[in-house]
Amino acid sequence: MATYRTIIRKLTLFILFKFPLLDALSLLMLFAERASKESVPPVNPKLVYVYLIVCIGCGVTMSGKFKLHFACLLYSGQLLLFAINVYTNPAWEYPHWQRVLVACRQIGCMGIYIMLGSMMSKNRSEWLCRIGEGCLGLYLLSYVYLINSIPEYKNGFHVHMFGGDYMRFLIALTLAACGLSFFCGTYLRDMSICTAITLILTTVFVDLDISFWMSQGVHQWIQIRQVMNCAGIVVGFLMLWTSVDNRLKIE
């Protein structure tokens, strides 16, 4: 009989393999939403087509469990390019705090898929795994910065999360400890489940209130994509909880 860890691992891998397809669909909906308000898209349409084709191709390849290592790394590269584009391209016309939030979560998703790619290779690459861990550490420390230093997100946190500043400080301290642990490559299993539980709280209580964020000037589909990215990151940490050891030995 399969253990609960085995069941969770299979379920999380199933979701992660399908995530690029959802990414492509949500991006189409985002551009459709923007099309009613602008005549020229913020990204060259040819680049959009390339991004969508790669996302769909990676999703289909992952779902078919073919060339998983290559597909995961290719998709992680796509996530990085999108993060850079959103943050640096003024044509998106998003406020700075929204661009930081989007880029931060794209980096988190990228770290998850780099880790997944390293696990799916025949000979597990330690240096690739360390890059993934570094990306996840960067994401967690960036998220700590967001909830403490970005007024708009800090206000949303206070409106939705019980406990006020005390809960915010507790969550920030927890995520900072988890981020440093990933940078060091130690106690990854324990920190993965700790991170997943903490991010579930912030996603459910803060990010999932789409109507509130729309009232703050966030487009509906950009917020839906944010929730999807948060969910993908949580699923990724649950996958890591079932797959990694507490101490990672680096030769």
Side-chain angles (χ1 to χ4, degrees), residues 82-88 92 94-108 138-139 141-147 149-153 222 226 229:
F82 189 81
I84 294 173
N85 187 278
V86 170
Y87 187 76
T88 60
W92 285 98
Y94 293 143
H96 180 261
W97 69 273
Q98 288 187 35
R99 290 186 282 117
V100 171
L101 196 61
V102 172
C104 174
R105 285 169 175 163
Q106 291 286 121
I107 295 298
L138 176 63
Y139 160 70
L141 294 182
S142 299
Y143 194 66
V144 171
Y145 166 78
L146 287 171
I147 64 178
S149 302
I150 301 294
E152 294 83 358
Y153 196 72
I222 198 67
Q226 291 303 289
N229 286 339

Side-chain angles (χ1 to χ4, degrees), residues 109-145:
C109 289
M110 182 185 73
I112 292 295
Y113 278 92
I114 292 176
M115 292 287 289
L116 184 59
S118 70
M119 295 175 185
M120 294 301 160
S121 61
K122 294 181 179 179
N123 298 318
R124 182 167 175 172
S125 174
E126 296 294 350
W127 67 268
L128 189 60
C129 196
R130 291 296 295 146
I131 291 175
E133 291 166 12
C135 290
L136 293 177
L138 176 63
Y139 160 70
L140 292 174
L141 294 182
S142 299
Y143 194 66
V144 171
Y145 166 78

Side-chain angles (χ1 to χ4, degrees), residues 23-231:
D23 186 14
L25 176 61
S26 64
L27 185 62
L28 277 176
M29 298 303 295
L30 173 62
F31 281 118
E33 180 183 41
R34 294 178 62 98
S36 61
K37 303 176 183 178
E38 59 188 12
S39 57
V40 180
V43 182
N44 188 302
K46 294 181 180 179
L47 295 178
V48 176
Y49 295 146
V50 171
Y51 185 87
L52 292 175
I53 291 172
V54 172
C55 285
I56 293 173
C58 289
V60 172
T61 302
M62 291 182 196
S63 299
K65 297 182 179 179
F66 176 73
K67 296 290 184 180
L68 288 173
H69 172 70
F70 175 76
C72 289
L73 295 184
L74 179 60
Y75 181 59
S76 66
Q78 287 285 98
L79 292 169
L80 176 61
L81 290 176
F82 189 81
I84 294 173
N85 187 278
V86 170
Y87 187 76
T88 60
N89 186 357
W92 285 98
E93 298 181 346
Y94 293 143
H96 180 261
W97 69 273
Q98 288 187 35
R99 290 186 282 117
V100 171
L101 196 61
V102 172
C104 174
R105 285 169 175 163
Q106 291 286 121
I107 295 298
C109 289
M110 182 185 73
I112 292 295
Y113 278 92
I114 292 176
M115 292 287 289
L116 184 59
S118 70
M119 295 175 185
M120 294 301 160
S121 61
K122 294 181 179 179
N123 298 318
R124 182 167 175 172
S125 174
E126 296 294 350
W127 67 268
L128 189 60
C129 196
R130 291 296 295 146
I131 291 175
E133 291 166 12
C135 290
L136 293 177
L138 176 63
Y139 160 70
L140 292 174
L141 294 182
S142 299
Y143 194 66
V144 171
Y145 166 78
L146 287 171
I147 64 178
N148 285 292
S149 302
I150 301 294
E152 294 83 358
Y153 196 72
K154 185 177 178 180
N155 176 63
F157 199 93
H158 282 163
V159 169
H160 294 91
M161 187 65 73
F162 56 89
D165 282 335
Y166 293 106
M167 178 58 72
R168 180 167 59 85
F169 292 149
L170 178 60
I171 288 177
L173 182 61
T174 302
L175 293 179
C178 294
L180 292 175
S181 177
F182 272 90
F183 272 127
C184 297
T186 57
Y187 300 106
L188 298 185
R189 186 175 63 207
D190 292 344
M191 291 303 176
S192 292
I193 189 62
C194 184
T195 303
I197 293 172
T198 306
L199 292 180
I200 287 172
L201 288 175
T202 59
T203 301
V204 171
F205 286 100
V206 180
D207 298 297
L208 203 55
D209 189 355
I210 296 176
S211 60
F212 170 81
W213 290 110
M214 289 180 63
S215 69
Q216 303 300 307
V218 181
H219 292 175
Q220 179 180 6
W221 275 98
I222 198 67
Q223 185 60 28
I224 292 176
R225 280 178 60 84
Q226 291 303 289
V227 174
M228 285 177 51
N229 286 339
C230 289

